[in-house]
Amino acid sequence: MPLSGHTTVAGIIGQPVEHSRSPAIHNAAYAALGLDWVYVAFPVAVGAVAAALHGFAALGVAGVNVTMPHKAAAAEHSDELAPTAATIGVVNTVLVRDGRLVGDSTDGVGFLDAAREAEIELRGASIVVLGSGGVARALVHALGPIAAQLVVAARRVDAAAAVARLAPAATAVGLDQASDAVAAAAVVVNATPIGMRGEAPPFDVAGLDASHIVIDTVYAPPETPLLAAARARGAQAVNGLGMLVHQAARSFTLLTGRDAPVEVMWAAARAAE
């Protein structure tokens, strides 16, 4: 649809953000529903999140998604937080409502939607989540009520423990103990950026076998070293594209008030590979 003075603007902030597939995904969804909207990637430097968000509010931007490394800062500088965002302290969506910044998080529910679509049963599973950042916080909060056992593993045990407190029955270990936790689990989730640049898995993959499901929240490259190692050992390996699409679908509905055309968004995500 041609841009005009009536076009509604939305977007994504991050640093870097040029690689993001979110513009392709959201713009395809707008086109499919005939919405006079456009979605843009905005590179925002560390330390400039507050200025960017308040600038969006002043300009009448409908809202933005938030990616690394700004999820905590965006929560801090929101005027109001939805319940999940208030609990986990990070956001991936900021809505502009009557000039106020409302922070929300669709990462956790998007992850659950993606797992459901992939027919991965998480309820009652023993799960290890690797990481202590914003994505890990969202996933642990979402998985806490349904996992039979939940272990958070991070380089610093105190950081892992802070995330584990988001799920009452979760425990925390350092990465030096992650291999044992992984071997005993059914599902392993990498909620770190490790693998985006070809980095090796942060634990000994010898404990993986055909009984494991390994989910990487990284979607580019489509097969990280962790996923390649998991496949080589017979495990089911799933990359982060499904989570990307489904968190985007949830954000799309928050922003527009319309049901997301998920299949269109999937097609755009794949085409952008």
Side-chain angles (χ1 to χ4, degrees):
M1 183 173 292
L3 303 183
S4 74
H6 300 286
T7 302
T8 299
V9 179
I12 182 169
I13 64 170
Q15 185 65 284
V17 75
E18 293 81 2
H19 67 285
S20 175
R21 296 187 196 177
S22 292
I25 292 170
H26 284 269
N27 285 319
Y30 300 155
L33 297 188
L35 299 179
D36 186 9
W37 285 55
V38 65
Y39 188 102
V40 183
F42 297 102
V44 173
V46 173
V49 173
L53 293 178
H54 287 101
F56 293 142
L59 290 167
V61 171
V64 291
N65 289 121
V66 184
T67 189
M68 298 184 298
H70 298 327
K71 293 185 177 186
E76 178 184 353
H77 295 294
S78 292
D79 298 313
E80 177 185 340
L81 293 175
T84 294
T87 298
I88 65 178
V90 292
V91 304
N92 78 330
T93 306
V94 178
L95 312 172
V96 179
R97 295 288 186 259
D98 298 322
R100 289 175 56 80
L101 301 167
V102 181
D104 208 337
S105 175
T106 66
D107 279 336
V109 69
F111 178 85
L112 297 182
D113 288 344
R116 189 178 303 112
E117 183 180 63
E119 299 183 348
I120 295 172
E121 182 55 69
L122 298 173
R123 185 171 296 278
S126 175
I127 303 172
V128 173
V129 174
L130 304 169
S132 60
V135 173
R137 295 182 69 83
L139 299 195
V140 168
H141 179 260
L143 291 168
I146 64 173
Q149 183 178 11
L150 187 58
V151 178
V152 182
R155 286 193 177 91
R156 292 180 13 245
V157 177
D158 62 329
V163 177
R165 285 194 286 273
L166 294 168
T171 57
V173 299
L175 281 181
D176 56 340
Q177 297 175 291
S179 298
D180 291 339
V182 165
V187 179
V188 180
V189 182
N190 176 35
T192 80
I194 293 173
M196 289 180 69
R197 297 174 179 83
E199 304 96 328
F203 61 90
D204 184 358
V205 298
L208 295 174
D209 59 33
S211 69
H212 286 92
I213 299 170
V214 178
I215 305 172
D216 205 327
T217 60
V218 173
Y219 63 85
E223 181 156 281
T224 60
L226 171 59
L227 294 183
R231 289 187 206 281
R233 300 192 66 80
Q236 181 179 349
V238 180
N239 70 22
L241 199 59
M243 177 180 167
L244 174 70
V245 169
H246 283 281
Q247 64 77 28
R250 293 278 185 159
S251 289
F252 177 93
T253 297
L254 289 175
L255 283 163
T256 67
R258 301 283 297 272
D259 291 338
V262 176
E263 290 305 316
V264 169
M265 298 171 92
W266 258 116
R270 292 188 179 107
E273 288 183 358

